[in-house]
Amino acid sequence: GRLPIATRAPPLEHPNTDAFLTMVEITAQKACAITQVVSMLFGIGMLFFPEKMMETYKGAPFTGDGKTMFLYVFGMMGILMAHGAMINATMRLDSANATARGATCLGNAIGWGVFLFIDAVMAFGLPVPGVTNALPSSMPADGMKANLVLFAAIVGVNVLGWKDAGSPKPSVALPSGVMALPLKILLADALFWGAGTVLAPEKMFDMYLPGVIAKSGSAKAMIWVIIERVGFSVITTIISTLLITSAVPGDADTNYRIARSFVYRNFMFLGFVSRDNVIRAATGWSMPLATQNNLQMLGITLFCATQLGATNITVRKTKSA
């Protein structure tokens, strides 16, 4: 009989990895989108579901003035997180300047890197005296350590996004061109709050809410932790803003986007005025600078909103973001 003819088996088919790599490739737009989502989730939790959020971290519940004050500052932090989401929401769009988008990623990496550092030294019991707080007894270290993984991932994603955009290294300067004056006013106001809260938090809050934190009981340590993050969030937002506007000096589109995000943020803070009035009536807290603070916020916000409205812009029909 005839011997069988040896045949060669067909080559194994390798999966198409190009499509997968394209899907997971971190572009500057994807980095901004991821940061937007994470920031907004934190903001929603802090603003609307603060107690549920603390339960997730297995934090101890508070009562009385301590609970009220904790929710008060937690809400402030929620607005700041929402502001970070707003900046990334506008800078991730195709219509935004690509170099400014890369600078947004750099700002994100710096900001979340700061949070990574202060949470790490707290979670591992290595606070920096006079700079960071110790871990409160009401907050298990495991909850903070879970943050470290998330924060490190966000930093890494934004470093990759920054590299994707060409690794822009802006020469940091004050905003120039269209909307420069409103941006400078917004940044000066933010610097007052940020520097005061980071460098002299007790004096800062005692001016606005005298004696309240002192009678917050078991919540006191956690309140200071949130206040610390409020201050650093404001400072890192200033740094990020300067990086973005300096990446393309005088660019009208970029300046407009960033100024608009601050105006949105300020309107959220102005919405807290009614909350403050309810708290003051219910608790009897003294808020001696409330009127001055509200008028300052209102004046800055209305001036900047008016400048936005006075800016000549052309609205193009584009597909939905």
Side-chain angles (χ1 to χ4, degrees):
R2 298 177 59 186
L3 295 173
I5 299 175
T7 58
R8 196 160 95 187
L12 293 173
E13 292 187 8
H14 294 282
N16 184 357
T17 56
D18 290 342
F20 175 74
L21 290 174
T22 300
M23 183 174 65
V24 299
E25 179 187 7
I26 300 299
T27 64
Q29 284 183 294
K30 286 181 182 177
C32 287
I34 291 169
T35 308
Q36 173 195 343
V37 171
V38 174
S39 299
M40 186 53 74
L41 287 175
F42 270 106
I44 290 171
M46 292 172 176
L47 284 166
F48 304 114
F49 309 102
E51 292 177 283
K52 288 292 183 184
M53 191 170 182
M54 285 301 292
E55 286 177 14
T56 303
Y57 284 98
K58 295 180 169 52
F62 306 125
T63 58
D65 280 348
K67 177 179 179 179
T68 304
M69 186 61 192
F70 173 75
L71 296 179
Y72 187 90
V73 295
F74 215 39
M76 294 174 64
M77 188 65 200
I79 290 181
L80 296 175
M81 296 302 296
H83 184 214
M86 294 174 201
I87 292 175
N88 281 279
T90 189
M91 296 309 298
R92 71 172 174 81
L93 300 177
D94 291 336
S95 53
N97 181 279
T99 303
R101 186 184 301 118
T104 304
C105 292
L106 179 58
N108 287 338
I110 293 172
W112 287 89
V114 169
F115 284 130
L116 176 63
F117 172 76
I118 60 178
D119 272 19
V121 295
M122 186 169 70
F124 292 104
L126 301 168
V128 181
V131 179
T132 65
N133 288 284
L135 181 70
S137 59
S138 58
M139 173 61 70
D142 289 346
M144 302 307 298
K145 289 175 182 177
N147 273 358
L148 303 183
V149 177
L150 175 61
F151 294 177
I154 298 174
V155 171
V157 161
N158 277 285
V159 168
L160 293 175
W162 173 64
K163 289 183 177 180
D164 171 73
S167 305
K169 301 178 184 66
S171 299
V172 178
L174 289 174
S176 60
V178 174
M179 293 300 296
L181 179 58
L183 280 168
K184 289 175 183 176
I185 293 173
L186 288 163
L187 291 173
D189 181 58
L191 182 61
F192 166 76
W193 281 100
T197 305
V198 169
L199 299 176
E202 293 186 33
K203 287 185 179 179
M204 190 74 175
F205 272 78
D206 209 46
M207 284 194 305
Y208 288 90
L209 293 163
V212 174
I213 299 179
K215 58 181 181 180
S216 293
S218 61
K220 187 190 300 184
M222 198 64 204
I223 290 169
W224 286 123
V225 165
I226 301 302
I227 288 174
E228 173 186 74
R229 279 147 184 73
V230 167
F232 279 113
S233 179
V234 173
I235 293 297
T236 55
T237 298
I238 293 172
I239 294 171
S240 185
T241 297
L242 292 175
L243 287 171
I244 295 168
T245 56
S246 298
V248 278
D251 182 62
D253 179 81
T254 300
N255 286 0
Y256 187 92
R257 289 172 189 269
I258 300 302
R260 181 176 59 190
S261 77
F262 271 93
V263 170
Y264 290 164
R265 183 208 70 170
N266 280 13
F267 274 121
M268 291 182 73
F269 273 123
L270 285 171
F272 268 25
V273 173
S274 58
R275 180 193 72 159
D276 290 355
N277 290 335
V278 171
I279 291 174
R280 183 163 42 183
T283 62
W285 289 357
S286 170
M287 297 182 180
L289 298 180
T291 300
Q292 174 187 322
N293 181 53
N294 293 338
L295 289 176
Q296 177 180 326
M297 177 70 72
L298 182 64
I300 291 173
T301 304
L302 291 183
F303 170 74
C304 295
T306 300
Q307 294 299 303
L308 283 175
T311 303
N312 293 323
I313 60 173
T314 300
V315 179
R316 294 179 299 165
K317 184 176 181 180
T318 59
K319 64 179 182 179
S320 173

